[in-house]
């Protein structure tokens, strides 16, 4: 099986090449396959890319330009990002057709939800008019706790009928066994 650490071309390399106006390598040099799933590896280089993007003209379109030639090859392209609103995430939103907003049912995360939705609205208006919100997915949701219920009820009340709220289930995997 191929080790992603040994892969010489990651999404970080592709984005760095894009910022430097270098020609991108062929698909076979960066698309890996494992268990019937194709993916592009990530690396620590993304930290450098994030810093460099802030200095680039058209920075929010770098990832979109990399992924555009892949759109016809796949039914779905999933972009997994860290829960921040830095340059890499803005790039992901600029490249996406839909966003699933994952929210941990904690007070600060819930407060940030409104701000994130404003950011999505701005990106749709200024950069990517295809972008829509597919729904809100409450993560680490445990309906048995009162705190979780108290924090998530306002989300359901506020967005029901406007934004889909995915049904959350307490599902996990620990040492290969579901609990």
């Amino acid at each position: 099986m191929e080790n992603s650490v040994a892969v010489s071309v990651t999404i970080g390399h592709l984005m760095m090449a894009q910022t430097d106006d270098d020609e991108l390598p062929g698909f076979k040099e960066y698309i890996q396959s494992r268990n019937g799933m194709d993916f592009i590896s990530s690396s620590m280089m993304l930290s450098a890319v994030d810093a460099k993007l802030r200095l680039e003209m058209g920075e929010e379109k770098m990832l979109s330009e990399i992924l555009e030639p892949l759109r016809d090859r796949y039914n779905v392209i999933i972009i997994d990002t860290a829960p921040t609103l830095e340059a890499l995430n803005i790039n992901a939103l600029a490249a996406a057709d839909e966003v699933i907003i994952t929210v941990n049912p904690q007070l600060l995360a819930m407060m940030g939800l409104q701000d994130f939705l404003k950011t999505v609205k701005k990106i749709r208006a200024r950069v990517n008019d295809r972008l829509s919100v597919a729904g809100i997915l409450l993560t680490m949701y445990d309906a048995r706790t009162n705190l979780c219920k108290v924090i998530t009820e306002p989300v359901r009340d506020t967005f029901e009928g406007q934004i889909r709220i995915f049904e959350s289930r307490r599902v996990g995997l620990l040492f290969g066994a579901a609990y």
Side-chain angles (χ1 to χ4, degrees):
M1 198 148 60
E2 202 170 1
N3 183 352
S4 63
V5 175
V7 173
S8 61
V9 181
T10 66
I11 193 67
H13 293 95
L14 294 173
M15 291 189 76
M16 193 64 80
Q18 190 74 17
T19 61
D20 292 338
D21 293 325
D22 292 341
E23 188 173 326
L24 297 180
F27 299 139
K28 290 181 180 183
E29 290 187 53
Y30 60 87
I31 295 179
Q32 298 178 62
S33 292
R34 194 169 293 142
N35 298 326
M37 180 78 67
D38 289 354
F39 61 96
I40 303 173
S41 291
S42 183
S43 68
M44 293 299 292
M45 181 179 264
L46 279 178
S47 298
V49 170
D50 190 62
K52 188 171 184 175
L53 282 174
R54 295 181 199 138
L55 305 172
E56 289 292 320
M57 246 188 318
E59 63 163 305
E60 66 280 347
K61 293 294 227 168
M62 296 293 171
L63 182 60
S64 185
E65 291 171 5
I66 292 168
L67 295 179
E68 192 59 38
L70 299 174
R71 282 183 173 269
D72 292 339
R73 294 173 59 112
Y74 298 97
N75 294 326
V76 176
I77 297 175
I78 298 172
I79 306 169
D80 184 22
T81 64
T84 63
L85 270 180
E86 295 175 351
L88 291 172
N89 288 41
I90 300 300
N91 261 267
L93 291 170
D97 292 335
E98 292 182 305
V99 59
I100 296 174
I101 304 169
T102 57
V103 180
N104 183 331
Q106 294 179 351
L107 187 57
L108 290 176
M110 294 303 209
M111 290 169 52
L113 180 57
Q114 287 286 359
D115 290 336
F116 184 77
L117 288 170
K118 287 178 187 175
T119 300
V120 168
K121 188 176 180 179
K122 286 180 184 178
I123 289 171
R124 183 177 34 242
R126 299 176 186 174
V127 180
N128 178 4
D129 61 359
R130 293 185 323 257
L131 183 63
S132 66
V133 176
I136 297 170
L137 177 63
L138 300 171
T139 62
M140 298 193 305
Y141 180 82
D142 188 351
R144 299 173 300 168
T145 66
N146 288 332
L147 179 61
C148 191
K149 290 176 189 173
V150 167
I151 291 175
T152 58
E153 281 177 11
V155 172
R156 292 189 190 281
D157 293 343
T158 302
F159 298 111
E160 199 162 17
Q162 299 172 38
I163 298 175
R164 179 179 180 188
I165 300 175
F166 294 102
E167 286 299 317
S168 298
R169 304 267 190 264
R170 186 170 185 264
V171 177
L173 190 64
L174 179 61
F175 301 113
Y179 67 94

